[in-house]
Amino acid sequence: MDSESLLLSLELAAGTGQGLSPDRRTALLTSLLLVKRDYRYERVLFWGRILGIVADYYIAQGLGEDQLAPRKTLYSLNCMEWSLLPPATEEMAAQMAVVKGRFMGDPSHEYEHTEFQRTTAEGEKTFEDDVVVQVKEETRLVSVIDQIDKAVAIIPRGALFKTPFGPVHVNRTFEGLPLSEARKLSSYFHFREPVDLKNRTLLEKADLDPSLDFLDSLENDIPKGSWSIQMERGNSLVVLRSLLWPGLTFFHTPRTRNHGYIYVGTGEKNMDLPFML
Amino acid sequence: MGDPSEPPSGQYPNRRSFQASEQRHSLEASQPQAAVPEGAPQMLPAQQRGSQGIPSMRWSEGASLPEQEDWLMSQTFQATGTPIAHTEHPSFPLGFQTQAYLEDGRTLAGRTLAGEYTTNLMLQQLQQGQGGLLQQLEPAYQPAGASFLSQFDSYHRENQPFKLGTQHSFYPRDDPATPTFSLSEQGFLYYSPEVPEPPPRELAVQNAKAYLLQTSVGSDLSLYEHLVNLLTKILNQRPEDPLSILESMNRTTQWEWFHRKMDTLRDDPEMQSTYEMAEKQRGLFIQGGGDREQDMEEEVAETAVPNIMETAFHLEQAGVGLSVEESFRIYLALKQLVEQQPVHTCRFWGKILGLRRSYLVAEVEFREGEEEGEEEEGEELLEGGDTLEQPGGEEEGEEDEEKVADAVPKPQWKPPPVVPRESRAGTNKYLYFVCAEPGRPWTRLPPVTPAQIVCARKIRKFFTGHLDAPVVSYPPFPGNEANYLRAQIARISAATHISPLGFYQFSEEEGDEEDEGGAGRDSFEENADFEGIPVLELVDSLANWVHHTQHILPQGRCTWVNPLQKSDEEEELGEEEEKGDEGPDEVEQEIGPPLLTPLSEDAEIMNMSPWTTRVSCTLCPQYSVAVVRSNLWPGAYAFASGKKFENLYIGWGHKYSPDNFNPALPAPVQQEYASGPEITEMSDPTVEEEQALRAAQEQALAAAEDEEEDEEEEEGEDLDD
């Protein structure tokens, strides 16, 4: 959610039950402003909160002019002092795949994981070595945030538009989705580089507007039904919750410009989703 | 110009004003009228100066121009002489624009007559005092015979080359002094042969403009009009960096043209459901009738509704809970519930999220004697079910007796005995009501049975939000979503309802302990002497918190019941079935941790404590609350501060498991019938055996015949003798 409209956004996203305490909110208002100044970001988003056993991580992201460019992620333990996280790589994702369980809350905590490595010596004997691989929690944090962003960060249709030169900008004339469109999954896009767009048929592409429909929509998400759309507050607020990463809430007031998403959760993917639907 | 004398200017204002009033936009009438007197005197001197920027004015004229105006436009084009080349006069569009935009805004049809616009154009322009149309017209028109301007200054000329097809009153009638203008019928282009050919440039401009004014078959909107709308919008709103949002504004302007605002009399169909919900919620705020004073006193005296706002405030310190407005609405909804049902105590239990809707859950305890009505109905239903089963069994028995030889072997599988559910104690100690949103009616949830709890432990399903939705799962859940919801609520309550140590204490009756066989006391009361535990201590040690709900045994109940004990109803059938009762006669009694066990005794999950404690605010520890979060049931929170504490659950309603969910495997295939001689298949005899058998039979026959023949011969011999 945009740090400019933090208070309103937090209130709108409160339907999931998790939010921020007043002291954290005030701290965020101040510190995000300073982050914006120091790092020269165009927009600073408050991404959310990852609950750990000992402490919680508060995550923020900074964006430049181009909204789809790789974002800088920062984390903090007390909403005041922010540290920059390294960008995510595929190695990190591979390493992280073996780690299970909750986040500890200590960035320097190391997860130990023993791997079996078989080395065949010349004499055709296989040695099995137990290699203890250590994964730092910071790496895990980076990787999880990246996965969540790629999987479930969403934006309503029309909020961003693509300029003819390439960069993607915020649409200042976005008036909000009409109520008839707000309940459809096709009105929401993934806030990441499009993956699926080329696979659309030509007929579908003919109906698209290249300046607005340049991202993947939520309709083709697998597994089907991994989003729950609800109207809250007496039908005046649309809330989308992800079932794949429980804790991600996207809210939007139809016919207004307010929209945003926040993740408050344990940072674990819900692998049981197919059984639960 | 011929004689830039009074008459034209004198006539002008009248003409203009009348023309304006003739138009539909009476609103604009004042403006031109105001403008006219000012404009007119300027006209003359303005005429002397050169003017530019006519084309920009032209372009920015608002509204569509029907053909009759086209004609006029073409006149003005002619009048302007060299329209295109002029690029100055930025002020032109301004005043004109505003007016045109206003026109556009006020008349949704947007059809205004260009005549007025052009005149207004000129007036505004003249107001700017930067030289106007007329100046430009002036030099250009000199050569031209019949020109727009010349009309003005020689309005009284008899030889009007143009027929008046329009309402435009530029063309004077008989008496120039008294402009009488009749609304003539729709005009048509009529070029008298006396009109000289316009210069090629103007002709080009005319053609270009006519092209832009085209409307397609599909829409009424011409490009000209659209550009006018767009530019007026941009000029009115004055956004920063308009070039970057040009495309978006373009799209929006088009959209606005085709999506007019609704009339004031009609409701917006899209917002219908929102308004309905708002109406329902309005009902929450309206208090019932009666004397105000009496109501206030009654309400202040005693109410079963708890202080939700206070709880919400404390939980907000912890960063948990719904927003303040939602909490207040929930409070009102609970108040409504309390008024409708005979409630003794009531509590907001929490919120369970679902796919399509969510559930707000209220935990309620009825007053004594109120609840039995519902329970009796429930029991009757159960008994009815049993009696139905009994005659079925008897019929089968009769049939069996008749056809013993060909009887279908009776299945020897007996369903495991049903564990009876607890009533008004243990898992069913409280009643639960749910509703989707504050303002909607509360629905009561049925009591939970042990079988449902046992099954709920094995499955993991999302709630859809509709109570009558089926729960499709394996093992098949005995019930629908309402039952599943109730079972999960029971599990969550049993696992996560905690209170600070000492808040509750056991009621002092020493004899009970022996009677119940040490199974645990299940009643407690509030400790009046509870002093409150300091926040820091609550956070540091989990031993300061205790469970105050009973643990649910694996059987599905809180107090253990031996399922094999025959109840009165089953004794009738018991005699026949006892022989077949091969189940284990001895079932171990299940024991769970007793009530008021501290949290430190809870089992760990993967080397992780099942509870996390926090101080709500590290910056002001002296005023903060202690918050405990469950790691086993994500979404369960408890806070304590001084003498107050509360539990809340907001989440999806599932337990946390570090391992992936493994669905239950299907039951092993039931054993087939024991093979015995009566159902064993015999092997068919081989060919040799059959032949041997036949040979033996033939021999036997032959032997029998021989004997008969011998006997007959003997008899025959006897007879013969």
Side-chain angles (χ1 to χ4, degrees), chain B residues 254-544:
Chain B
Q254 266 188 339
W255 189 89
E256 277 176 7
W257 174 268
F258 289 107
H259 292 80
R260 305 281 170 71
K261 296 276 185 191
M262 290 290 185
D263 299 327
T264 49
L265 292 180
R266 260 206 291 173
D267 283 335
D268 192 353
E270 273 196 352
M271 298 285 282
Q272 210 48 39
S273 45
T274 317
Y275 294 147
E276 278 174 18
M277 201 56 223
E279 285 280 334
K280 281 190 196 153
Q281 289 187 341
R282 184 165 173 267
L284 286 177
F285 289 89
I286 296 178
Q287 294 182 347
D291 280 337
R292 270 210 169 166
E293 290 184 3
Q294 281 184 6
D295 281 344
M296 292 280 272
E297 284 177 8
E298 281 176 14
E299 288 189 26
V300 169
E302 245 191 54
T303 169
V305 189
N307 192 350
I308 294 198
M309 299 309 293
E310 194 183 355
T311 315
F313 169 73
H314 285 295
L315 283 168
E316 195 191 351
Q317 304 295 311
V320 174
L322 308 170
S323 66
V324 174
E325 288 77 26
E326 195 70 19
S327 302
F328 190 73
R329 277 191 219 121
I330 291 173
Y331 169 76
L332 289 175
L334 279 179
K335 203 166 116 174
Q336 202 184 44
L337 175 66
V338 165
E339 284 164 13
Q340 286 168 359
Q341 306 272 350
V343 162
H344 178 53
T345 60
C346 160
R347 197 177 80 83
F348 179 55
W349 185 89
K351 178 173 175 180
I352 291 198
L353 305 170
L355 294 182
R356 281 180 237 137
R357 294 196 305 200
S358 304
Y359 295 112
L360 292 171
V361 182
E363 187 181 80
V364 149
E365 207 173 336
F366 270 0
R367 287 197 277 266
E368 298 283 334
E370 291 289 343
E371 197 193 331
E372 291 175 5
E374 292 264 354
E375 280 218 18
E376 283 177 4
E377 287 176 19
E379 286 178 9
E380 281 174 12
L381 285 174
L382 285 177
E383 287 175 19
D386 285 341
T387 48
L388 280 175
E389 286 172 17
Q390 289 176 18
E394 289 172 8
E395 281 179 12
E396 281 184 19
E398 289 174 8
E399 287 179 359
D400 285 341
E401 288 168 4
E402 287 174 2
K403 310 172 189 175
V404 175
D406 295 340
V408 172
K410 266 172 79 172
Q412 289 173 347
W413 176 81
K414 285 169 194 21
V418 174
V419 180
R421 68 157 192 241
E422 294 169 293
S423 69
R424 305 202 89 179
T427 48
N428 285 320
K429 186 170 178 187
Y430 294 105
L431 268 179
Y432 292 91
F433 283 83
V434 292
C435 83
E437 258 191 278
R440 290 197 200 267
W442 290 91
T443 320
R444 180 173 165 168
L445 285 180
V448 67
T449 62
Q452 288 168 354
I453 291 193
V454 166
C455 193
R457 283 174 167 155
K458 296 184 188 156
I459 66 176
R460 210 171 146 92
K461 283 280 184 186
F462 278 120
F463 295 99
T464 61
H466 298 282
L467 283 175
D468 47 0
V471 178
V472 179
S473 66
Y474 185 80
F477 187 78
N480 57 10
E481 181 158 316
N483 303 101
Y484 183 44
L485 179 64
R486 180 66 182 83
Q488 290 293 93
I489 291 176
R491 287 173 72 198
I492 293 173
S493 299
T496 62
H497 277 26
I498 59 180
S499 57
L501 178 71
F503 191 91
Y504 288 118
Q505 67 183 10
F506 288 116
S507 40
E508 309 218 342
E509 294 173 21
E510 296 178 3
D512 283 348
E513 210 174 325
E514 297 174 5
D515 288 345
E516 296 181 26
R521 292 168 279 195
D522 57 355
S523 67
F524 50 81
E525 62 182 18
E526 279 188 35
N527 184 355
D529 303 328
F530 180 58
E531 287 290 333
I533 305 181
V535 166
L536 291 176
E537 281 184 34
L538 281 174
V539 169
D540 280 335
S541 157
L542 282 177
N544 285 325

Side-chain angles (χ1 to χ4, degrees), chain B residues 77-95:
Chain B
F77 262 68
Q78 283 183 357
T80 58
T82 59
I84 299 179
H86 299 278
T87 50
E88 293 176 29
H89 285 272
S91 58
F92 272 115
L94 296 179

Side-chain angles (χ1 to χ4, degrees), chain B residues 584-623:
Chain B
D585 291 323
E586 295 177 8
V587 177
E588 281 189 23
Q589 181 180 20
E590 298 162 1
I591 303 178
L595 204 58
L596 297 191
T597 325
L599 297 194
S600 41
E601 312 272 327
D602 284 357
E604 285 189 347
I605 320 167
M606 257 181 75
N607 305 330
M608 179 177 72
S609 158
W611 300 91
T612 313
T613 57
R614 292 285 158 77
V615 179
S616 67
C617 172
T618 47
L619 294 173
C620 55
Q622 54 270 55
Y623 298 120

Side-chain angles (χ1 to χ4, degrees), chain B residues 622-660:
Chain B
Q622 54 270 55
Y623 298 120
S624 51
V625 299
V627 179
V628 178
R629 198 166 71 201
S630 169
N631 295 327
L632 192 57
W633 291 94
Y637 292 88
F639 86 91
S641 162
K643 295 193 189 176
K644 292 195 254 291
F645 85 98
E646 189 58 75
N647 294 290
L648 189 74
Y649 180 86
I650 302 186
W652 292 97
H654 297 118
K655 198 171 181 175
Y656 169 76
S657 80
D659 300 318
N660 292 336

